[in-house]
Amino acid sequence: MDQDEGLTSVDNIVTQFNTYEDFLDSQITTVDLYYLEDESLARQLVELGYRGTGEILKREDFEARKAAIEIARLAERTQKKTLTSAGKDLQDSFLKALAVREEDNRNGKVSSVIFIRDKNSYGQEVSGYIDYADRLKTEDFEVYFNGKKRLLPRPTDLSFYNWDSQIAVCNSSPNYQVIDDNPNGLLFKYKKDRKILNVDPKDHPGDNSTRMSIQTDLYTQAVIFDHISRRKT
């Protein structure tokens, strides 16, 4: 039996029985009880492998796998709860694009960088690059998916530029290192696999990366770069 088959067999047992004692009881026959006359002794013999009608499973393996399955179940339920885009009637293509990418950015399968150019609440034109996964962790996106606020670049994002005041700021994030000394423009190095994301529209975005321009009524310009990490874990 290979490892995957073994885990499947254990999972079947763990999900079928609430406790290890229930599993042991299922292995005890009426003949065992007749001769042993002691249920506790019968359980011990099954646990040691001397009695039983099926597979031998150690108590620690049963309890460890039971705990792992429960942790996975809770994590999945938590993940579903944290999808702030779930159940929203999204009309704009930009919000739909964010919703499609939300789960993968939360679980690390994809790392998206969002470029936005538009006017802020003071009428000033601003632009910048946003680490979507980082913002999801540090901010409640409910207000954006509900349409109560618009997502805009901030001075704390990967890059921020105010075209009126000519203030320019760059910041590395937990996911990306900003390379701002490139003569052809900004580059972002994804920290997990050290691949370079090139945001220059005239160049290819880089290995395992894509560039998508979004037609939206919310912004003057919106572009989403998606990077898939190929690093082996």
Side-chain angles (χ1 to χ4, degrees), residues 14-50:
V14 168
T15 53
Q16 184 178 355
F17 300 102
N18 290 327
T19 66
Y20 186 66
E21 282 68 27
D22 290 341
F23 164 66
L24 294 178
D25 289 346
S26 73
Q27 303 293 299
I28 299 172
T29 66
T30 53
V31 175
D32 291 332
L33 289 176
Y34 177 80
Y35 285 106
L36 295 172
E37 298 181 347
D38 187 332
E39 185 179 54
S40 179
L41 177 60
R43 285 177 175 174
Q44 291 178 30
L45 291 174
V46 171
E47 188 169 355
L48 292 171
Y50 294 115

PDB file of all heavy atoms in Angstrom, residues 14-50:
ATOM      1  N   VAL A  14     -11.207   7.403  10.148  1.00  0.00           N
ATOM      2  CA  VAL A  14     -11.332   8.567  11.026  1.00  0.00           C
ATOM      3  C   VAL A  14     -12.673   9.272  10.835  1.00  0.00           C
ATOM      4  O   VAL A  14     -13.284   9.721  11.809  1.00  0.00           O
ATOM      5  CB  VAL A  14     -10.163   9.548  10.770  1.00  0.00           C
ATOM      6  CG1 VAL A  14     -10.417  10.885  11.441  1.00  0.00           C
ATOM      7  CG2 VAL A  14      -8.859   8.949  11.295  1.00  0.00           C
ATOM      8  N   THR A  15     -13.130   9.356   9.608  1.00  0.00           N
ATOM      9  CA  THR A  15     -14.406  10.030   9.356  1.00  0.00           C
ATOM     10  C   THR A  15     -15.602   9.151   9.728  1.00  0.00           C
ATOM     11  O   THR A  15     -16.686   9.660   9.982  1.00  0.00           O
ATOM     12  CB  THR A  15     -14.515  10.441   7.880  1.00  0.00           C
ATOM     13  OG1 THR A  15     -14.281   9.303   7.032  1.00  0.00           O
ATOM     14  CG2 THR A  15     -13.505  11.528   7.543  1.00  0.00           C
ATOM     15  N   GLN A  16     -15.382   7.847   9.776  1.00  0.00           N
ATOM     16  CA  GLN A  16     -16.480   6.925  10.094  1.00  0.00           C
ATOM     17  C   GLN A  16     -16.751   6.839  11.593  1.00  0.00           C
ATOM     18  O   GLN A  16     -17.899   6.659  12.014  1.00  0.00           O
ATOM     19  CB  GLN A  16     -16.157   5.534   9.537  1.00  0.00           C
ATOM     20  CG  GLN A  16     -17.282   4.518   9.720  1.00  0.00           C
ATOM     21  CD  GLN A  16     -16.929   3.183   9.106  1.00  0.00           C
ATOM     22  OE1 GLN A  16     -15.884   3.023   8.460  1.00  0.00           O
ATOM     23  NE2 GLN A  16     -17.788   2.185   9.322  1.00  0.00           N
ATOM     24  N   PHE A  17     -15.685   7.005  12.402  1.00  0.00           N
ATOM     25  CA  PHE A  17     -15.828   6.834  13.845  1.00  0.00           C
ATOM     26  C   PHE A  17     -15.476   8.128  14.581  1.00  0.00           C
ATOM     27  O   PHE A  17     -14.480   8.782  14.269  1.00  0.00           O
ATOM     28  CB  PHE A  17     -14.926   5.694  14.333  1.00  0.00           C
ATOM     29  CG  PHE A  17     -15.229   4.370  13.691  1.00  0.00           C
ATOM     30  CD1 PHE A  17     -14.417   3.881  12.669  1.00  0.00           C
ATOM     31  CD2 PHE A  17     -16.324   3.621  14.092  1.00  0.00           C
ATOM     32  CE1 PHE A  17     -14.699   2.673  12.062  1.00  0.00           C
ATOM     33  CE2 PHE A  17     -16.615   2.394  13.494  1.00  0.00           C
ATOM     34  CZ  PHE A  17     -15.796   1.925  12.463  1.00  0.00           C
ATOM     35  N   ASN A  18     -16.286   8.463  15.580  1.00  0.00           N
ATOM     36  CA  ASN A  18     -16.071   9.689  16.348  1.00  0.00           C
ATOM     37  C   ASN A  18     -14.866   9.588  17.276  1.00  0.00           C
ATOM     38  O   ASN A  18     -14.142  10.559  17.482  1.00  0.00           O
ATOM     39  CB  ASN A  18     -17.318  10.030  17.159  1.00  0.00           C
ATOM     40  CG  ASN A  18     -18.474  10.473  16.289  1.00  0.00           C
ATOM     41  OD1 ASN A  18     -18.265  11.104  15.251  1.00  0.00           O
ATOM     42  ND2 ASN A  18     -19.689  10.124  16.690  1.00  0.00           N
ATOM     43  N   THR A  19     -14.674   8.413  17.867  1.00  0.00           N
ATOM     44  CA  THR A  19     -13.565   8.237  18.817  1.00  0.00           C
ATOM     45  C   THR A  19     -12.784   6.972  18.463  1.00  0.00           C
ATOM     46  O   THR A  19     -13.264   6.098  17.721  1.00  0.00           O
ATOM     47  CB  THR A  19     -14.071   8.109  20.256  1.00  0.00           C
ATOM     48  OG1 THR A  19     -14.834   6.890  20.387  1.00  0.00           O
ATOM     49  CG2 THR A  19     -14.941   9.311  20.626  1.00  0.00           C
ATOM     50  N   TYR A  20     -11.583   6.888  19.013  1.00  0.00           N
ATOM     51  CA  TYR A  20     -10.752   5.699  18.788  1.00  0.00           C
ATOM     52  C   TYR A  20     -11.399   4.469  19.416  1.00  0.00           C
ATOM     53  O   TYR A  20     -11.306   3.359  18.882  1.00  0.00           O
ATOM     54  CB  TYR A  20      -9.366   5.934  19.380  1.00  0.00           C
ATOM     55  CG  TYR A  20      -8.380   4.825  19.070  1.00  0.00           C
ATOM     56  CD1 TYR A  20      -7.967   4.595  17.754  1.00  0.00           C
ATOM     57  CD2 TYR A  20      -7.863   4.032  20.085  1.00  0.00           C
ATOM     58  CE1 TYR A  20      -7.055   3.585  17.464  1.00  0.00           C
ATOM     59  CE2 TYR A  20      -6.954   3.025  19.804  1.00  0.00           C
ATOM     60  CZ  TYR A  20      -6.550   2.808  18.489  1.00  0.00           C
ATOM     61  OH  TYR A  20      -5.649   1.805  18.203  1.00  0.00           O
ATOM     62  N   GLU A  21     -12.086   4.682  20.548  1.00  0.00           N
ATOM     63  CA  GLU A  21     -12.770   3.558  21.204  1.00  0.00           C
ATOM     64  C   GLU A  21     -13.880   3.002  20.312  1.00  0.00           C
ATOM     65  O   GLU A  21     -14.108   1.781  20.273  1.00  0.00           O
ATOM     66  CB  GLU A  21     -13.356   4.005  22.546  1.00  0.00           C
ATOM     67  CG  GLU A  21     -12.342   4.112  23.668  1.00  0.00           C
ATOM     68  CD  GLU A  21     -11.334   5.240  23.473  1.00  0.00           C
ATOM     69  OE1 GLU A  21     -11.685   6.221  22.790  1.00  0.00           O
ATOM     70  OE2 GLU A  21     -10.205   5.130  23.992  1.00  0.00           O
ATOM     71  N   ASP A  22     -14.590   3.890  19.596  1.00  0.00           N
ATOM     72  CA  ASP A  22     -15.628   3.429  18.670  1.00  0.00           C
ATOM     73  C   ASP A  22     -15.022   2.553  17.570  1.00  0.00           C
ATOM     74  O   ASP A  22     -15.605   1.548  17.154  1.00  0.00           O
ATOM     75  CB  ASP A  22     -16.345   4.619  18.032  1.00  0.00           C
ATOM     76  CG  ASP A  22     -17.211   5.375  19.025  1.00  0.00           C
ATOM     77  OD1 ASP A  22     -17.532   4.795  20.083  1.00  0.00           O
ATOM     78  OD2 ASP A  22     -17.552   6.546  18.750  1.00  0.00           O
ATOM     79  N   PHE A  23     -13.847   2.973  17.093  1.00  0.00           N
ATOM     80  CA  PHE A  23     -13.159   2.168  16.072  1.00  0.00           C
ATOM     81  C   PHE A  23     -12.772   0.797  16.629  1.00  0.00           C
ATOM     82  O   PHE A  23     -12.963  -0.237  15.964  1.00  0.00           O
ATOM     83  CB  PHE A  23     -11.912   2.908  15.581  1.00  0.00           C
ATOM     84  CG  PHE A  23     -10.937   2.044  14.839  1.00  0.00           C
ATOM     85  CD1 PHE A  23     -11.267   1.487  13.608  1.00  0.00           C
ATOM     86  CD2 PHE A  23      -9.690   1.764  15.386  1.00  0.00           C
ATOM     87  CE1 PHE A  23     -10.355   0.673  12.929  1.00  0.00           C
ATOM     88  CE2 PHE A  23      -8.790   0.950  14.711  1.00  0.00           C
ATOM     89  CZ  PHE A  23      -9.119   0.405  13.479  1.00  0.00           C
ATOM     90  N   LEU A  24     -12.213   0.781  17.855  1.00  0.00           N
ATOM     91  CA  LEU A  24     -11.829  -0.495  18.456  1.00  0.00           C
ATOM     92  C   LEU A  24     -13.036  -1.403  18.624  1.00  0.00           C
ATOM     93  O   LEU A  24     -12.965  -2.614  18.350  1.00  0.00           O
ATOM     94  CB  LEU A  24     -11.153  -0.256  19.815  1.00  0.00           C
ATOM     95  CG  LEU A  24      -9.799   0.467  19.807  1.00  0.00           C
ATOM     96  CD1 LEU A  24      -9.310   0.664  21.233  1.00  0.00           C
ATOM     97  CD2 LEU A  24      -8.769  -0.282  18.978  1.00  0.00           C
ATOM     98  N   ASP A  25     -14.143  -0.834  19.073  1.00  0.00           N
ATOM     99  CA  ASP A  25     -15.362  -1.632  19.286  1.00  0.00           C
ATOM    100  C   ASP A  25     -15.845  -2.272  17.991  1.00  0.00           C
ATOM    101  O   ASP A  25     -16.402  -3.388  18.000  1.00  0.00           O
ATOM    102  CB  ASP A  25     -16.475  -0.755  19.867  1.00  0.00           C
ATOM    103  CG  ASP A  25     -16.194  -0.365  21.322  1.00  0.00           C
ATOM    104  OD1 ASP A  25     -15.300  -0.985  21.935  1.00  0.00           O
ATOM    105  OD2 ASP A  25     -16.847   0.574  21.815  1.00  0.00           O
ATOM    106  N   SER A  26     -15.629  -1.568  16.882  1.00  0.00           N
ATOM    107  CA  SER A  26     -16.088  -2.106  15.593  1.00  0.00           C
ATOM    108  C   SER A  26     -15.279  -3.329  15.174  1.00  0.00           C
ATOM    109  O   SER A  26     -15.723  -4.110  14.324  1.00  0.00           O
ATOM    110  CB  SER A  26     -15.987  -1.027  14.504  1.00  0.00           C
ATOM    111  OG  SER A  26     -14.632  -0.790  14.130  1.00  0.00           O
ATOM    112  N   GLN A  27     -14.086  -3.480  15.764  1.00  0.00           N
ATOM    113  CA  GLN A  27     -13.214  -4.603  15.419  1.00  0.00           C
ATOM    114  C   GLN A  27     -13.438  -5.826  16.324  1.00  0.00           C
ATOM    115  O   GLN A  27     -12.907  -6.899  16.067  1.00  0.00           O
ATOM    116  CB  GLN A  27     -11.742  -4.168  15.533  1.00  0.00           C
ATOM    117  CG  GLN A  27     -11.360  -2.967  14.685  1.00  0.00           C
ATOM    118  CD  GLN A  27     -11.427  -3.276  13.203  1.00  0.00           C
ATOM    119  OE1 GLN A  27     -10.721  -4.154  12.720  1.00  0.00           O
ATOM    120  NE2 GLN A  27     -12.297  -2.587  12.483  1.00  0.00           N
ATOM    121  N   ILE A  28     -14.204  -5.619  17.385  1.00  0.00           N
ATOM    122  CA  ILE A  28     -14.430  -6.702  18.346  1.00  0.00           C
ATOM    123  C   ILE A  28     -15.643  -7.528  17.916  1.00  0.00           C
ATOM    124  O   ILE A  28     -16.703  -6.982  17.612  1.00  0.00           O
ATOM    125  CB  ILE A  28     -14.670  -6.131  19.761  1.00  0.00           C
ATOM    126  CG1 ILE A  28     -13.439  -5.337  20.212  1.00  0.00           C
ATOM    127  CG2 ILE A  28     -14.968  -7.258  20.743  1.00  0.00           C
ATOM    128  CD1 ILE A  28     -13.670  -4.578  21.510  1.00  0.00           C
ATOM    129  N   THR A  29     -15.491  -8.845  17.906  1.00  0.00           N
ATOM    130  CA  THR A  29     -16.600  -9.737  17.542  1.00  0.00           C
ATOM    131  C   THR A  29     -17.302 -10.237  18.801  1.00  0.00           C
ATOM    132  O   THR A  29     -16.765 -10.145  19.923  1.00  0.00           O
ATOM    133  CB  THR A  29     -16.088 -10.944  16.737  1.00  0.00           C
ATOM    134  OG1 THR A  29     -15.251 -11.750  17.586  1.00  0.00           O
ATOM    135  CG2 THR A  29     -15.274 -10.484  15.525  1.00  0.00           C
ATOM    136  N   THR A  30     -18.463 -10.770  18.610  1.00  0.00           N
ATOM    137  CA  THR A  30     -19.202 -11.345  19.745  1.00  0.00           C
ATOM    138  C   THR A  30     -18.443 -12.537  20.323  1.00  0.00           C
ATOM    139  O   THR A  30     -18.520 -12.814  21.533  1.00  0.00           O
ATOM    140  CB  THR A  30     -20.599 -11.799  19.293  1.00  0.00           C
ATOM    141  OG1 THR A  30     -20.465 -12.666  18.159  1.00  0.00           O
ATOM    142  CG2 THR A  30     -21.456 -10.604  18.906  1.00  0.00           C
ATOM    143  N   VAL A  31     -17.707 -13.226  19.479  1.00  0.00           N
ATOM    144  CA  VAL A  31     -16.913 -14.376  19.955  1.00  0.00           C
ATOM    145  C   VAL A  31     -15.806 -13.886  20.885  1.00  0.00           C
ATOM    146  O   VAL A  31     -15.523 -14.507  21.927  1.00  0.00           O
ATOM    147  CB  VAL A  31     -16.304 -15.143  18.757  1.00  0.00           C
ATOM    148  CG1 VAL A  31     -15.375 -16.263  19.261  1.00  0.00           C
ATOM    149  CG2 VAL A  31     -17.400 -15.717  17.886  1.00  0.00           C
ATOM    150  N   ASP A  32     -15.161 -12.745  20.534  1.00  0.00           N
ATOM    151  CA  ASP A  32     -14.121 -12.172  21.392  1.00  0.00           C
ATOM    152  C   ASP A  32     -14.682 -11.867  22.780  1.00  0.00           C
ATOM    153  O   ASP A  32     -14.064 -12.184  23.804  1.00  0.00           O
ATOM    154  CB  ASP A  32     -13.567 -10.874  20.773  1.00  0.00           C
ATOM    155  CG  ASP A  32     -12.763 -11.139  19.513  1.00  0.00           C
ATOM    156  OD1 ASP A  32     -12.194 -12.227  19.382  1.00  0.00           O
ATOM    157  OD2 ASP A  32     -12.726 -10.232  18.649  1.00  0.00           O
ATOM    158  N   LEU A  33     -15.853 -11.224  22.786  1.00  0.00           N
ATOM    159  CA  LEU A  33     -16.456 -10.861  24.069  1.00  0.00           C
ATOM    160  C   LEU A  33     -16.875 -12.096  24.873  1.00  0.00           C
ATOM    161  O   LEU A  33     -16.801 -12.097  26.108  1.00  0.00           O
ATOM    162  CB  LEU A  33     -17.671  -9.950  23.826  1.00  0.00           C
ATOM    163  CG  LEU A  33     -17.361  -8.531  23.345  1.00  0.00           C
ATOM    164  CD1 LEU A  33     -18.651  -7.776  23.045  1.00  0.00           C
ATOM    165  CD2 LEU A  33     -16.544  -7.774  24.407  1.00  0.00           C
ATOM    166  N   TYR A  34     -17.284 -13.121  24.153  1.00  0.00           N
ATOM    167  CA  TYR A  34     -17.717 -14.347  24.836  1.00  0.00           C
ATOM    168  C   TYR A  34     -16.559 -14.980  25.595  1.00  0.00           C
ATOM    169  O   TYR A  34     -16.690 -15.380  26.765  1.00  0.00           O
ATOM    170  CB  TYR A  34     -18.297 -15.328  23.821  1.00  0.00           C
ATOM    171  CG  TYR A  34     -18.697 -16.653  24.419  1.00  0.00           C
ATOM    172  CD1 TYR A  34     -19.911 -16.777  25.100  1.00  0.00           C
ATOM    173  CD2 TYR A  34     -17.864 -17.772  24.315  1.00  0.00           C
ATOM    174  CE1 TYR A  34     -20.283 -17.998  25.667  1.00  0.00           C
ATOM    175  CE2 TYR A  34     -18.219 -18.989  24.868  1.00  0.00           C
ATOM    176  CZ  TYR A  34     -19.443 -19.089  25.549  1.00  0.00           C
ATOM    177  OH  TYR A  34     -19.806 -20.291  26.108  1.00  0.00           O
ATOM    178  N   TYR A  35     -15.398 -15.068  24.944  1.00  0.00           N
ATOM    179  CA  TYR A  35     -14.251 -15.726  25.576  1.00  0.00           C
ATOM    180  C   TYR A  35     -13.489 -14.816  26.530  1.00  0.00           C
ATOM    181  O   TYR A  35     -12.975 -15.265  27.562  1.00  0.00           O
ATOM    182  CB  TYR A  35     -13.289 -16.263  24.508  1.00  0.00           C
ATOM    183  CG  TYR A  35     -13.800 -17.507  23.817  1.00  0.00           C
ATOM    184  CD1 TYR A  35     -14.280 -17.459  22.523  1.00  0.00           C
ATOM    185  CD2 TYR A  35     -13.810 -18.728  24.490  1.00  0.00           C
ATOM    186  CE1 TYR A  35     -14.755 -18.583  21.886  1.00  0.00           C
ATOM    187  CE2 TYR A  35     -14.286 -19.882  23.861  1.00  0.00           C
ATOM    188  CZ  TYR A  35     -14.756 -19.804  22.569  1.00  0.00           C
ATOM    189  OH  TYR A  35     -15.236 -20.941  21.955  1.00  0.00           O
ATOM    190  N   LEU A  36     -13.412 -13.533  26.205  1.00  0.00           N
ATOM    191  CA  LEU A  36     -12.631 -12.624  27.046  1.00  0.00           C
ATOM    192  C   LEU A  36     -13.429 -12.096  28.231  1.00  0.00           C
ATOM    193  O   LEU A  36     -12.868 -11.805  29.301  1.00  0.00           O
ATOM    194  CB  LEU A  36     -12.131 -11.435  26.211  1.00  0.00           C
ATOM    195  CG  LEU A  36     -11.127 -11.793  25.104  1.00  0.00           C
ATOM    196  CD1 LEU A  36     -10.866 -10.577  24.227  1.00  0.00           C
ATOM    197  CD2 LEU A  36      -9.814 -12.297  25.709  1.00  0.00           C
ATOM    198  N   GLU A  37     -14.733 -11.920  28.014  1.00  0.00           N
ATOM    199  CA  GLU A  37     -15.648 -11.449  29.053  1.00  0.00           C
ATOM    200  C   GLU A  37     -15.224 -10.087  29.624  1.00  0.00           C
ATOM    201  O   GLU A  37     -15.500  -9.780  30.775  1.00  0.00           O
ATOM    202  CB  GLU A  37     -15.756 -12.477  30.200  1.00  0.00           C
ATOM    203  CG  GLU A  37     -16.319 -13.808  29.761  1.00  0.00           C
ATOM    204  CD  GLU A  37     -16.429 -14.792  30.914  1.00  0.00           C
ATOM    205  OE1 GLU A  37     -15.831 -14.509  31.982  1.00  0.00           O
ATOM    206  OE2 GLU A  37     -17.108 -15.817  30.767  1.00  0.00           O
ATOM    207  N   ASP A  38     -14.516  -9.318  28.833  1.00  0.00           N
ATOM    208  CA  ASP A  38     -14.033  -8.005  29.300  1.00  0.00           C
ATOM    209  C   ASP A  38     -13.849  -7.101  28.079  1.00  0.00           C
ATOM    210  O   ASP A  38     -12.935  -7.323  27.279  1.00  0.00           O
ATOM    211  CB  ASP A  38     -12.715  -8.163  30.053  1.00  0.00           C
ATOM    212  CG  ASP A  38     -12.257  -6.860  30.720  1.00  0.00           C
ATOM    213  OD1 ASP A  38     -12.618  -5.779  30.210  1.00  0.00           O
ATOM    214  OD2 ASP A  38     -11.535  -6.942  31.735  1.00  0.00           O
ATOM    215  N   GLU A  39     -14.718  -6.108  27.975  1.00  0.00           N
ATOM    216  CA  GLU A  39     -14.667  -5.208  26.804  1.00  0.00           C
ATOM    217  C   GLU A  39     -13.375  -4.406  26.767  1.00  0.00           C
ATOM    218  O   GLU A  39     -12.779  -4.204  25.708  1.00  0.00           O
ATOM    219  CB  GLU A  39     -15.868  -4.248  26.826  1.00  0.00           C
ATOM    220  CG  GLU A  39     -15.961  -3.367  25.589  1.00  0.00           C
ATOM    221  CD  GLU A  39     -17.181  -2.443  25.639  1.00  0.00           C
ATOM    222  OE1 GLU A  39     -17.329  -1.714  26.646  1.00  0.00           O
ATOM    223  OE2 GLU A  39     -17.956  -2.454  24.667  1.00  0.00           O
ATOM    224  N   SER A  40     -12.902  -3.963  27.935  1.00  0.00           N
ATOM    225  CA  SER A  40     -11.670  -3.187  28.005  1.00  0.00           C
ATOM    226  C   SER A  40     -10.470  -4.008  27.536  1.00  0.00           C
ATOM    227  O   SER A  40      -9.606  -3.515  26.788  1.00  0.00           O
ATOM    228  CB  SER A  40     -11.436  -2.700  29.438  1.00  0.00           C
ATOM    229  OG  SER A  40     -10.220  -1.969  29.528  1.00  0.00           O
ATOM    230  N   LEU A  41     -10.425  -5.270  27.940  1.00  0.00           N
ATOM    231  CA  LEU A  41      -9.333  -6.155  27.515  1.00  0.00           C
ATOM    232  C   LEU A  41      -9.416  -6.417  26.019  1.00  0.00           C
ATOM    233  O   LEU A  41      -8.391  -6.435  25.321  1.00  0.00           O
ATOM    234  CB  LEU A  41      -9.400  -7.471  28.288  1.00  0.00           C
ATOM    235  CG  LEU A  41      -8.357  -8.544  27.899  1.00  0.00           C
ATOM    236  CD1 LEU A  41      -6.946  -8.015  28.108  1.00  0.00           C
ATOM    237  CD2 LEU A  41      -8.596  -9.819  28.711  1.00  0.00           C
ATOM    238  N   ALA A  42     -10.633  -6.578  25.530  1.00  0.00           N
ATOM    239  CA  ALA A  42     -10.823  -6.813  24.091  1.00  0.00           C
ATOM    240  C   ALA A  42     -10.308  -5.620  23.280  1.00  0.00           C
ATOM    241  O   ALA A  42      -9.657  -5.791  22.246  1.00  0.00           O
ATOM    242  CB  ALA A  42     -12.298  -7.060  23.791  1.00  0.00           C
ATOM    243  N   ARG A  43     -10.584  -4.407  23.769  1.00  0.00           N
ATOM    244  CA  ARG A  43     -10.097  -3.212  23.084  1.00  0.00           C
ATOM    245  C   ARG A  43      -8.572  -3.173  23.055  1.00  0.00           C
ATOM    246  O   ARG A  43      -7.958  -2.825  22.047  1.00  0.00           O
ATOM    247  CB  ARG A  43     -10.624  -1.956  23.783  1.00  0.00           C
ATOM    248  CG  ARG A  43     -12.094  -1.651  23.526  1.00  0.00           C
ATOM    249  CD  ARG A  43     -12.520  -0.442  24.327  1.00  0.00           C
ATOM    250  NE  ARG A  43     -13.888  -0.026  24.024  1.00  0.00           N
ATOM    251  CZ  ARG A  43     -14.528   0.940  24.679  1.00  0.00           C
ATOM    252  NH1 ARG A  43     -13.917   1.568  25.683  1.00  0.00           N
ATOM    253  NH2 ARG A  43     -15.753   1.266  24.347  1.00  0.00           N
ATOM    254  N   GLN A  44      -7.952  -3.532  24.199  1.00  0.00           N
ATOM    255  CA  GLN A  44      -6.489  -3.521  24.275  1.00  0.00           C
ATOM    256  C   GLN A  44      -5.881  -4.510  23.298  1.00  0.00           C
ATOM    257  O   GLN A  44      -4.863  -4.204  22.651  1.00  0.00           O
ATOM    258  CB  GLN A  44      -6.051  -3.851  25.702  1.00  0.00           C
ATOM    259  CG  GLN A  44      -6.381  -2.780  26.725  1.00  0.00           C
ATOM    260  CD  GLN A  44      -5.964  -3.185  28.129  1.00  0.00           C
ATOM    261  OE1 GLN A  44      -5.008  -3.933  28.312  1.00  0.00           O
ATOM    262  NE2 GLN A  44      -6.693  -2.703  29.128  1.00  0.00           N
ATOM    263  N   LEU A  45      -6.486  -5.660  23.151  1.00  0.00           N
ATOM    264  CA  LEU A  45      -5.969  -6.676  22.241  1.00  0.00           C
ATOM    265  C   LEU A  45      -6.096  -6.226  20.785  1.00  0.00           C
ATOM    266  O   LEU A  45      -5.213  -6.485  19.963  1.00  0.00           O
ATOM    267  CB  LEU A  45      -6.699  -8.005  22.458  1.00  0.00           C
ATOM    268  CG  LEU A  45      -6.409  -8.709  23.796  1.00  0.00           C
ATOM    269  CD1 LEU A  45      -7.291  -9.938  23.958  1.00  0.00           C
ATOM    270  CD2 LEU A  45      -4.934  -9.101  23.880  1.00  0.00           C
ATOM    271  N   VAL A  46      -7.204  -5.548  20.470  1.00  0.00           N
ATOM    272  CA  VAL A  46      -7.375  -5.016  19.110  1.00  0.00           C
ATOM    273  C   VAL A  46      -6.325  -3.944  18.836  1.00  0.00           C
ATOM    274  O   VAL A  46      -5.704  -3.907  17.778  1.00  0.00           O
ATOM    275  CB  VAL A  46      -8.790  -4.428  18.927  1.00  0.00           C
ATOM    276  CG1 VAL A  46      -8.880  -3.681  17.595  1.00  0.00           C
ATOM    277  CG2 VAL A  46      -9.834  -5.529  18.971  1.00  0.00           C
ATOM    278  N   GLU A  47      -6.103  -3.077  19.843  1.00  0.00           N
ATOM    279  CA  GLU A  47      -5.137  -1.984  19.689  1.00  0.00           C
ATOM    280  C   GLU A  47      -3.731  -2.537  19.479  1.00  0.00           C
ATOM    281  O   GLU A  47      -2.926  -1.962  18.725  1.00  0.00           O
ATOM    282  CB  GLU A  47      -5.169  -1.074  20.917  1.00  0.00           C
ATOM    283  CG  GLU A  47      -4.355   0.191  20.766  1.00  0.00           C
ATOM    284  CD  GLU A  47      -4.619   1.200  21.874  1.00  0.00           C
ATOM    285  OE1 GLU A  47      -5.509   0.942  22.719  1.00  0.00           O
ATOM    286  OE2 GLU A  47      -3.951   2.248  21.884  1.00  0.00           O
ATOM    287  N   LEU A  48      -3.422  -3.665  20.118  1.00  0.00           N
ATOM    288  CA  LEU A  48      -2.105  -4.283  19.979  1.00  0.00           C
ATOM    289  C   LEU A  48      -2.002  -5.153  18.726  1.00  0.00           C
ATOM    290  O   LEU A  48      -0.913  -5.600  18.366  1.00  0.00           O
ATOM    291  CB  LEU A  48      -1.802  -5.135  21.213  1.00  0.00           C
ATOM    292  CG  LEU A  48      -1.605  -4.355  22.524  1.00  0.00           C
ATOM    293  CD1 LEU A  48      -1.528  -5.318  23.703  1.00  0.00           C
ATOM    294  CD2 LEU A  48      -0.335  -3.513  22.440  1.00  0.00           C
ATOM    295  N   GLY A  49      -3.132  -5.387  18.077  1.00  0.00           N
ATOM    296  CA  GLY A  49      -3.117  -6.152  16.843  1.00  0.00           C
ATOM    297  C   GLY A  49      -3.353  -7.641  17.012  1.00  0.00           C
ATOM    298  O   GLY A  49      -3.240  -8.406  16.052  1.00  0.00           O
ATOM    299  N   TYR A  50      -3.704  -8.073  18.221  1.00  0.00           N
ATOM    300  CA  TYR A  50      -3.924  -9.497  18.472  1.00  0.00           C
ATOM    301  C   TYR A  50      -5.349  -9.934  18.129  1.00  0.00           C
ATOM    302  O   TYR A  50      -5.614 -11.110  17.952  1.00  0.00           O
ATOM    303  CB  TYR A  50      -3.636  -9.838  19.940  1.00  0.00           C
ATOM    304  CG  TYR A  50      -2.175  -9.655  20.308  1.00  0.00           C
ATOM    305  CD1 TYR A  50      -1.787  -8.685  21.222  1.00  0.00           C
ATOM    306  CD2 TYR A  50      -1.194 -10.448  19.721  1.00  0.00           C
ATOM    307  CE1 TYR A  50      -0.450  -8.515  21.572  1.00  0.00           C
ATOM    308  CE2 TYR A  50       0.152 -10.282  20.052  1.00  0.00           C
ATOM    309  CZ  TYR A  50       0.507  -9.306  20.978  1.00  0.00           C
ATOM    310  OH  TYR A  50       1.828  -9.135  21.291  1.00  0.00           O
TER     311      TYR A  50
END
